Amino acid sequence: MTSLRDIRSNFLSFFEKQGHAVVPSSSLVPKDDPTLLFTNAGMVQFKNVFTGQERRDPPRAATTQKCVRAGGKHNDLDNVGYTARHHTFFEMLGNFSFGDYFKEDAIDYAWSLITGEFGLPKDKLLVTVFAEDDEAFDLWKKIAGLPDEKIIRIGTSDNFWMMGDTGPCGPCSEIFYDHGADIPGGPPGSPDEDGDRFIEIWNLVFMQFEQQAGGDRISLPKPSIDTGMGLERIAAVLQGVHNNYEIDLFKALIDNSQEVLSSKAEGDALASHRVIADHLRSTSFLMADGVTPSNEGRGYVLRRIMRRAMRHAHLLGATEPVMHRLVGELVNQMGDAFPELRRAQASIEATLEAEEERFQRTLGRGLALLDEATMGMKEGDALPGETAFKLYDTYGFPLDLTQDALRARGMTVDETGFNTSMERQREMARAAGFQSGEAAPETVWFAVKEAAGETDFLGYTQTEGEGTL
Ligand code: ATP
Ligand code: MG
Ligand code: MG
Ligand code: MG
């Protein structure tokens, strides 16, 4: 079995042999970019190179980039524990060409790596191309020898990437692995494509145009390449498991949480162990990159993820803080590849323990209130917004935590009602003299972020599309 560590280093050395500079992952907190919540793709650190403001020599690079998708445009928080393929934190392997090689080489490298070095059987692979991209279609035929029905044309924005409203853009091509007919789900482009049978492993972006402010789209004289492959997804394929949470790394983390929590990862407990392992990674890595829990901005997203994990630990019977006891094994697993994690271990543990201690004071009572409130409810019902608001306001339950708690029972939250209560609170806070920008109580920041939804929260959403492969 190829370990996750070996897959990571095999990927990087494959591209190094092809003249790529191996560049370290950048921080999860994007440098000089207050508009992007967290680094969510490998290309983020190269944005200025793609737009021509910066040059790199050699004009090709390979990375394994730490990514967090738990807010903003790419929010996979609600997928964790429910799909086989989503994490809030993951490593994105990528190769990049800055005006150097283009489509043909990018497809050739990708195909040689996965079918040559990695030895994947060709008949398990299929690809998508942008509907109008005949060039990519023909190249896949020529290089990979795939039959027409395994080169699926997709006309939606899923296969057309844009850095922002203006700037570099172009078609993309995604490589999928078929995990077998016993798993529900259809091929990309089909009505049941959201299942987990066909899993997207690698996305190749062909940056060949520039979108101009007036609406024109011109061809770039020197097109570029940006690719991203989920390390945990390719590891699942190479380790012969379907679910990302069954790869060696997660097995080690979950073995450890089973022991620390004295709870077997089976039945209903399985999803909780997976959520805990995932959230342990995202919260620890965020703290290693300098994010601290707080009531606003990035720090609040961190706190939300922590609290979700803590509720799952509570479900597994934890009555005392446990998250900090899981950090050591994470450092064992990932501290060599990411030394910043090892350096921050002590402070991560201390912060997690303090946060969990604090949240445990209200968690039990909040859950009791939730139980009481849902007593007369049945599947399909929505919890009154006012109750969700009380849970949030009095017990520190972020809205998404309440939603997560209800999901297992098939219930939702009346979000409109929640927002109304929030708005009322906000008015009161304003009347009481809290100006925006002042360090207001938790509720005021929440109000802006959650009542307004993603669109009005300019701070982090101005650059939709950015850093998304
Ligand atoms: P999906 O459609 O499965 O959500 P995506 O199209 O959003 O994936 P991209 O933005 O193309 O993903 O990112 C490039 C690669 O990163 C994907 O092909 C996948 O292998 C990996 N990836 C994306 N999101 C996640 C995630 N939440 N957890 C683990 N790997 C991911
Ligand atoms: Mg996605
Ligand atoms: Mg996709
Ligand atoms: Mg994709």
Side-chain angles (χ1 to χ4, degrees):
M1 186 187 83
T2 327
S3 69
L4 182 111
R5 286 171 212 240
D6 288 345
I7 298 166
R8 185 195 288 123
S9 65
N10 292 346
F11 177 94
L12 296 173
S13 61
F14 175 88
F15 282 103
E16 196 170 26
K17 276 184 233 139
Q18 310 293 340
H20 293 64
V22 174
V23 176
S25 171
S26 63
S27 168
L28 283 168
V29 179
K31 200 165 130 242
D32 304 327
D33 193 350
T35 62
L36 180 65
L37 187 56
F38 299 122
T39 299
N40 58 13
M43 63 77 61
V44 171
Q45 69 166 318
F46 301 119
K47 233 167 72 181
N48 291 341
V49 189
F50 286 121
T51 56
Q53 289 158 265
E54 267 172 39
R55 283 196 183 286
R56 282 197 77 97
D57 188 31
R60 37 177 86 189
T63 59
T64 183
Q65 175 65 49
K66 299 180 279 187
C67 293
V68 165
R69 293 190 174 184
K73 183 187 175 193
H74 279 286
N75 185 357
D76 287 334
L77 189 56
D78 294 331
N79 287 326
V80 171
Y82 300 99
T83 73
R85 67 184 199 279
H86 287 109
H87 307 294
T88 54
F89 170 94
F90 63 99
E91 281 180 66
M92 192 185 285
L93 301 165
N95 59 292
F96 307 89
S97 152
F98 312 111
D100 186 17
Y101 63 86
F102 195 47
K103 238 176 251 189
E104 178 156 13
D105 286 334
I107 291 177
D108 194 43
Y109 288 147
W111 191 253
S112 324
L113 179 66
I114 57 178
T115 61
E117 292 267 317
F118 289 170
L120 294 187
K122 183 173 147 183
D123 64 343
K124 293 277 202 180
L125 295 163
L126 62 167
V127 301
T128 61
V129 295
F130 185 56
E132 294 156 34
D133 194 358
D134 294 331
E135 191 188 3
F137 187 97
D138 294 342
L139 284 168
W140 277 116
K141 250 183 116 128
K142 183 178 112 184
I143 294 167
L146 286 171
D148 288 11
E149 67 275 12
K150 292 208 169 170
I151 310 174
I152 301 165
R153 289 178 188 265
I154 306 274
T156 64
S157 60
D158 270 359
N159 279 64
F160 195 89
W161 179 87
M162 302 183 73
M163 189 179 282
D165 293 338
T166 58
C169 60
C172 43
S173 184
E174 299 188 323
I175 305 174
F176 287 75
Y177 183 80
D178 179 0
H179 279 270
D182 48 336
I183 296 154
S190 72
D192 53 347
E193 65 175 347
D194 284 336
D196 272 338
R197 172 175 169 185
F198 296 89
I199 290 195
E200 177 189 329
I201 51 173
W202 204 347
N203 192 353
L204 315 180
V205 179
F206 310 128
M207 283 188 210
Q208 66 188 101
F209 304 114
E210 185 181 328
Q211 183 70 43
Q212 297 191 313
D216 287 341
R217 196 175 275 172
I218 58 166
S219 289
L220 288 171
K222 288 175 128 198
S224 288
I225 291 293
D226 157 27
T227 85
M229 170 156 66
L231 172 60
E232 300 79 1
R233 292 191 191 181
I234 185 68
V237 170
L238 294 176
Q239 295 179 7
V241 294
H242 168 242
N243 194 302
N244 276 18
Y245 292 89
E246 288 166 18
I247 63 175
D248 55 352
L249 166 75
F250 278 99
K251 195 174 171 306
L253 296 180
I254 291 173
D255 280 351
N256 183 51
S257 67
Q258 293 190 104
E259 208 175 290
V260 169
L261 282 145
S262 310
S263 149
K264 279 238 157 278
E266 56 191 27
D268 287 346
L270 179 61
S272 290
H273 279 283
R274 288 176 173 172
V275 171
I276 289 169
D278 174 85
H279 292 6
L280 173 72
R281 291 211 308 164
S282 50
T283 55
S284 300
F285 272 93
L286 284 171
M287 287 187 273
D289 279 346
V291 183
T292 50
S294 77
N295 294 328
E296 56 179 21
R298 296 185 172 114
Y300 182 53
V301 178
L302 170 63
R303 177 167 281 164
R304 274 168 55 196
I305 305 173
M306 283 181 174
R307 290 191 175 175
R308 277 171 83 112
M310 289 163 188
R311 186 187 72 86
H312 281 278
H314 178 94
L315 274 181
L316 298 181
T319 52
E320 275 172 20
V322 288
M323 291 299 292
H324 65 289
R325 292 170 58 199
L326 306 177
V327 178
E329 183 56 27
L330 176 66
V331 172
N332 282 342
Q333 293 296 321
M334 301 190 72
D336 291 341
F338 299 98
E340 66 272 31
L341 192 66
R342 180 161 285 134
R343 283 197 297 271
Q345 180 173 352
S347 85
I348 294 170
E349 288 168 344
T351 307
L352 274 172
E353 187 174 9
E355 279 285 312
E356 195 164 4
E357 218 165 304
R358 173 176 160 169
F359 188 45
Q360 275 181 343
R361 279 183 231 140
T362 55
L363 177 62
R365 279 186 287 139
L367 290 172
L369 175 83
L370 186 61
D371 274 342
E372 203 178 297
T374 49
M375 208 95 88
M377 285 171 52
K378 54 182 188 328
E379 215 179 310
D381 286 353
L383 182 78
E386 223 169 296
T387 313
F389 182 73
K390 183 165 184 201
L391 284 168
Y392 144 74
D393 195 40
T394 312
Y395 300 99
F397 281 31
L399 176 61
D400 65 87
L401 183 148
T402 304
Q403 288 168 323
D404 189 46
L406 291 172
R407 186 166 164 165
R409 292 190 266 163
M411 297 172 192
T412 55
V413 174
D414 167 19
E415 282 191 53
T416 317
F418 178 87
N419 290 338
T420 311
S421 301
M422 180 73 81
E423 186 58 36
R424 205 176 301 131
Q425 170 94 351
R426 211 168 144 194
E427 291 299 329
M428 278 160 55
R430 218 176 274 138
F434 284 108
Q435 302 298 321
S436 58
E438 212 171 293
E442 190 162 53
T443 46
V444 176
W445 187 82
F446 277 170
V448 179
K449 172 75 178 129
E450 295 194 10
E454 306 273 287
T455 43
D456 280 346
F457 188 65
L458 293 175
Y460 293 130
T461 51
Q462 268 164 355
T463 46
E464 292 279 282
E466 167 185 55
T468 67
L469 267 164

